[in-house]
Amino acid sequence: MKDKEIFIHETSIVDDNVKIGDNTKIWFFCHIQSGAQIGEGCSFGQNVNVSNNVKIGNGCKVQNNVSIYEGVELEDYVFCGPSMVFTNDLTPRAKYPKGSAGYKKTVLHTGASIGANVTVVCGHEVGKWAMVAAGAVVTKDVPDYALVAGVPAKQIGWVCECGERLNDGFHCEKCGRIYDVADGGLSERK
């Protein structure tokens, strides 16, 4: 079995007290701050900042120019598109900083995909395998498997775990998965 490796480009900075899982790659000009926990098999494009105490699961892909601020959590297999933005304070003031006690928690659940230039306003959750279209502004929770777009983001359909848009029967024509409607959301039929 091949030894597992972590790649950290020489231009990147990793503070003390950081945990990084095997087979993770951190490319140019990144900063991983103290207390951050990063899972296995992740990839961070150039100019990514992971703030203090952020938790990131396995298999996440964070594209160029993304800052993941304290209070944000990414579960496994989350995709963050180029230059998308997280926030962690609903009423920021330079003169009156609240510190981490005032941050609102934001969670992206397993498999969520966030498009380029999206803004995710803090205090919300993006459901598992949900997809947020490029340029959207997320101002409320996004259900599992939902496809949302616009400013503010509104649901325009449903997506399969594989990423394909579902037809009206909640069937994926690409991979064959079928979903059931339950409590205003979807769940995969077993």
Side-chain angles (χ1 to χ4, degrees):
M1 185 165 147
K2 184 178 176 187
D3 288 337
K4 295 181 179 176
E5 297 178 6
I6 298 169
F7 172 80
I8 301 171
H9 191 270
E10 63 187 24
T11 61
S12 290
I13 299 168
V14 177
D15 292 348
D16 292 333
N17 191 31
V18 168
K19 294 180 183 173
I20 300 174
D22 293 330
N23 297 317
T24 287
K25 292 178 174 53
I26 299 171
W27 292 97
F28 306 89
F29 310 115
C30 294
H31 185 189
I32 312 299
Q33 296 180 20
S34 182
Q37 298 176 41
I38 298 171
E40 296 181 2
C42 294
S43 177
F44 296 84
Q46 75 176 23
N47 197 36
V48 170
N49 179 63
V50 178
S51 292
N52 296 313
N53 308 312
V54 167
K55 246 180 104 171
I56 297 174
N58 298 319
C60 292
K61 187 168 187 175
V62 181
Q63 300 289 51
N64 298 348
N65 306 313
V66 175
S67 291
I68 304 172
Y69 296 116
E70 189 168 0
V72 175
E73 179 180 342
L74 309 182
E75 292 183 352
D76 295 342
Y77 304 107
V78 169
F79 176 88
C80 294
S83 301
M84 62 84 46
V85 176
F86 289 105
T87 67
N88 63 4
D89 187 342
L90 289 173
T91 56
R93 291 283 196 215
K95 187 174 179 181
Y96 303 103
K98 297 175 189 79
S100 60
Y103 297 155
K104 303 290 183 193
K105 187 171 177 85
T106 299
V107 179
L108 275 61
H109 292 282
T110 299
S113 289
I114 309 299
N117 295 306
V118 166
T119 298
V120 178
V121 176
C122 60
H124 301 293
E125 298 187 22
V126 177
K128 68 181 182 180
W129 306 108
M131 189 171 289
V132 180
V137 177
V138 175
T139 60
K140 61 184 180 179
D141 290 351
V142 176
D144 295 349
Y145 303 99
L147 172 62
V148 299
V151 179
K154 293 189 180 353
Q155 187 169 354
I156 60 170
W158 300 99
V159 291
C160 180
E161 181 176 323
C162 76
E164 196 70 20
R165 192 167 184 169
L166 297 175
N167 66 22
D168 291 340
F170 306 108
H171 175 257
C172 178
E173 294 173 7
K174 182 176 181 183
C175 74
R177 286 183 177 92
I178 301 173
Y179 295 84
D180 292 315
V181 178
D183 300 324
L186 290 187
S187 60
E188 187 176 353
R189 188 177 293 170
K190 300 294 177 194

